[in-house]
Amino acid sequence: MAPDTVSRKTEREGREERDLSLRWSGRVSLTARILAVNIFALAMLAGGFFYLDSYRARIVDSRVDRASREAMLVAQALAATPAAEHRQLIANVARSSGVRIRIYDRTGRATIDSRAMGINNVVLRDPDKDPWNQSAARLLDAIIDTVAGAARVAQFRERPHDRGLDWPDLRAVFAGGGPSASVWRAPDRTPVITAAAPFGTQGAVFTTVNARDITQTVRIERFRLGVVLALTVGLSIFLSLFLARTIVRPLRRLARAAVRVRLGRAREVVVPRLPDRRDEIGDLARSLSDMSHALRARIDATEAFAADLAHELKNPLASLRSAVDSLASVRDTQLQERLLAIVRDDVHRLDRLITDISDASRLDAQLSRAKFDPIDLAAMLAGLVEQHGARGNDRDVRLRFDMPPGPAPLVMGEGMRLERVFENLIDNAVSFSPAGGLVALSLLTSGEMVEARVEDEGPGVPDAARETIFRRFHSVRPDGEAFGRHSGLGLAIARTIVEGHQGTIGVESREDRIHGARFVVRLPLVQPG
């Protein structure tokens, strides 16, 4: 991967991390956040309780206006009726309207009272004698009024028979004003509405009504809203817990598995794959499971590589130590020369082995930082064939490259790495070919891939060994070749390079039934545009 690409990737990951970062809410668990979001929405619904206070205020205002009009109508009716019929008129109106009606003269003394006529239609309840449910309702009224900041009106107290001027409505009427009305609070918190209207020069009409129906209406609406809110809260909490369970519980399982992987206390940590889930958490679980398997495979490969490395280094070191120890006691010049030759061979073998091991161990990291450019694969293979032809070989093995027709196939890659792959394959093919044999190279495009073939006329590769030959330190050499000339890492390095270029490498049988092996490298073509 190119350095600028790595830089852009780092910047993009940094932006994504900032976008996904949480400030204060990042310290709160998912369960609490889910509940908080849903309960906040319910709190907005609970605001309907406070809306009922404004609803009650509008009803009271309309009843105050109605009380003023009723007092004025009674006053007008009395003015149009003979004085002898005033008592009967007041009694009839009081019975039909449920209002207590009194007539006050200008000295503040009540001259006519509907209650004195036996019409006891306005009776204030004693809260101490009410059942518990009424007390609970009044307590709820007080709490909601306090929270909503409702205005607290004065408590209603009856005035003596001759103290009518203590009523503010009567004082306003006798002061020359029009009809006046006031709202009071009964002992049971129900509204009491009083109204006064001028009655000619004789005095004023004064009405009183205990509007319990207003409180009853508000309580009924509050009860209905409360039932809806209670059901909604219960359902919301249930759904929130269900949602939290379906999200938080699998995440906790994945987190515990990830901790076990990090601690390495179990060789095979089973990360739940959650196959029944088709959502993002299921995708995350399967990705983590695949990642843990890949990590375990990488660890196993590293351990196997370390063990193989120790084994491969041990053999030449043992030979070298034996030769060096023998030099001290050997006096024969020819034997000393042979021992020194062994020492030189072992040193060269160790140097070659260490070099290949160094390349193999750093290859993944180097490929991840490499800058890929478009490469003409046909020109590369033609150049390699020409170089081998110029150098020649001791068994007269011929090389041939079949140039593909049409435009040259281009692949994205690092030229030096890909050259090493094909040089390795050509060297292997030449070494296994018989004297005077032919090594044929060809290219074939298929869809979005290009296929490079290297074919020889050697003994071929058995089916059982077609995968093992790509393992590290696995070496199968032609008969007669000196031991130790190869590290057994060539094909393993070639596979790593090809896979780093998003390609594949493998060995197949030749289609023309000629003895030999066919190594096939498949690489993605550069797409136009």
Side-chain angles (χ1 to χ4, degrees), residues 58 271 334 367 417 428 438 487:
R58 289 195 299 271
V271 178
Q334 293 182 353
L367 284 173
R417 300 291 182 185
N428 281 345
L438 175 66
S487 63

Side-chain angles (χ1 to χ4, degrees), residues 152-373:
R152 185 179 178 88
V153 298
Q155 187 171 353
F156 180 83
R157 290 184 175 86
E158 191 60 67
R159 271 61 169 176
H161 181 72
D162 56 351
R163 298 284 298 275
L165 293 180
D166 289 347
W167 298 106
D169 298 327
L170 287 176
R171 289 199 303 270
V173 169
F174 290 150
S180 177
S182 301
V183 181
W184 309 83
R185 175 172 52 87
D188 62 349
R189 300 188 62 86
T190 57
V192 176
I193 300 174
T194 60
F199 173 38
T201 59
Q202 303 176 25
V205 175
F206 186 74
T207 61
T208 305
V209 61
N210 184 197
R212 292 195 190 98
D213 58 312
I214 296 177
T215 301
Q216 188 68 22
T217 300
V218 173
R219 286 177 179 174
I220 290 174
E221 295 301 322
R222 184 182 297 152
F223 173 77
R224 292 172 179 171
L225 181 60
V227 170
V228 173
L229 182 60
L231 293 176
T232 307
V233 167
L235 181 62
S236 179
I237 291 176
F238 171 77
L239 293 178
S240 298
L241 294 176
F242 171 77
L243 182 61
R245 178 184 176 88
T246 58
I247 294 177
V248 176
R249 186 176 180 183
L251 288 180
R252 285 175 178 168
R253 290 179 59 191
L254 295 174
R256 287 195 294 267
V259 170
R260 291 197 298 271
V261 172
R262 177 177 62 85
L263 296 177
R265 294 178 179 175
R267 180 168 181 82
E268 292 295 337
V269 178
V270 178
V271 178
R273 295 184 63 85
L274 306 179
D276 295 334
R277 298 194 65 142
R278 294 293 180 266
D279 55 5
E280 289 80 359
I281 293 182
D283 295 339
L284 174 63
R286 289 182 284 277
S287 298
L288 286 177
S289 178
D290 294 339
M291 182 186 69
S292 67
H293 287 304
L295 179 61
R296 174 52 57 190
R298 180 62 65 88
I299 293 174
D300 291 342
T302 302
E303 293 175 351
F305 178 71
D308 293 340
L309 175 61
H311 175 74
E312 292 296 324
L313 290 175
K314 186 176 181 180
N315 291 335
L317 284 175
S319 175
L320 182 61
R321 183 179 62 184
S322 176
V324 171
D325 292 341
S326 299
L327 278 173
S329 58
V330 171
R331 297 292 181 264
D332 188 346
T333 304
Q334 293 182 353
L335 184 56
Q336 286 180 348
E337 287 295 333
R338 287 199 297 268
L339 289 175
L340 287 174
I342 293 175
V343 170
R344 284 192 294 271
D345 288 343
D346 287 336
V347 169
H348 289 315
R349 181 182 174 192
L350 284 172
D351 180 68
R352 182 169 52 251
L353 184 61
I354 292 172
T355 301
D356 288 344
I357 289 171
S358 177
D359 290 343
S361 61
R362 293 180 300 174
L363 196 54
D364 287 336
Q366 290 174 347
L367 284 173
S368 65
R369 296 190 299 267
K371 182 179 180 180
F372 286 1
D373 297 313

Side-chain angles (χ1 to χ4, degrees), residues 6-251:
V6 174
S7 176
R8 289 195 298 270
K9 181 179 179 181
T10 303
E11 294 177 0
R12 182 173 66 253
E13 291 176 349
R15 289 196 301 269
E16 291 177 352
E17 184 176 355
R18 290 192 296 271
D19 293 340
L20 295 175
S21 63
L22 300 174
R23 293 181 175 87
W24 64 269
S25 60
R27 304 176 183 177
V28 184
S29 68
L30 282 176
T31 302
R33 273 186 268 175
I34 292 172
L35 285 171
V37 169
N38 289 330
I39 291 177
F40 175 77
L42 294 176
M44 303 298 292
L45 177 62
F49 283 104
F50 307 119
Y51 167 78
L52 290 177
D53 180 72
S54 62
Y55 171 68
R56 177 181 57 188
R58 289 195 299 271
I59 295 178
V60 170
D61 291 342
S62 65
R63 292 294 292 274
V64 168
D65 292 340
R66 191 175 78 177
S68 298
R69 292 194 300 270
E70 288 177 347
M72 179 60 70
L73 290 175
V74 171
Q76 292 174 355
L78 289 174
T81 305
E85 299 178 5
H86 283 179
R87 289 181 174 274
Q88 185 61 39
L89 176 63
I90 289 175
N92 293 336
V93 173
R95 288 192 187 95
S96 61
S97 63
V99 177
R100 181 181 179 184
I101 302 176
R102 283 173 280 186
I103 304 296
Y104 283 90
D105 60 19
R106 291 189 172 273
T107 63
R109 185 176 63 84
T111 57
I112 302 176
D113 188 352
S114 61
R115 178 173 294 179
M117 300 177 188
I119 306 172
N120 198 13
N121 52 6
V122 178
V123 179
L124 303 182
R125 291 181 178 177
D126 185 357
D128 297 332
K129 297 180 181 179
D130 282 343
W132 69 269
N133 57 342
Q134 290 293 329
S135 300
R138 284 193 296 273
L139 177 62
L140 183 60
D141 291 341
I143 293 174
I144 294 178
D145 288 346
T146 302
V147 175
R152 185 179 178 88
V153 298
Q155 187 171 353
F156 180 83
R157 290 184 175 86
E158 191 60 67
R159 271 61 169 176
H161 181 72
D162 56 351
R163 298 284 298 275
L165 293 180
D166 289 347
W167 298 106
D169 298 327
L170 287 176
R171 289 199 303 270
V173 169
F174 290 150
S180 177
S182 301
V183 181
W184 309 83
R185 175 172 52 87
D188 62 349
R189 300 188 62 86
T190 57
V192 176
I193 300 174
T194 60
F199 173 38
T201 59
Q202 303 176 25
V205 175
F206 186 74
T207 61
T208 305
V209 61
N210 184 197
R212 292 195 190 98
D213 58 312
I214 296 177
T215 301
Q216 188 68 22
T217 300
V218 173
R219 286 177 179 174
I220 290 174
E221 295 301 322
R222 184 182 297 152
F223 173 77
R224 292 172 179 171
L225 181 60
V227 170
V228 173
L229 182 60
L231 293 176
T232 307
V233 167
L235 181 62
S236 179
I237 291 176
F238 171 77
L239 293 178
S240 298
L241 294 176
F242 171 77
L243 182 61
R245 178 184 176 88
T246 58
I247 294 177
V248 176
R249 186 176 180 183
L251 288 180

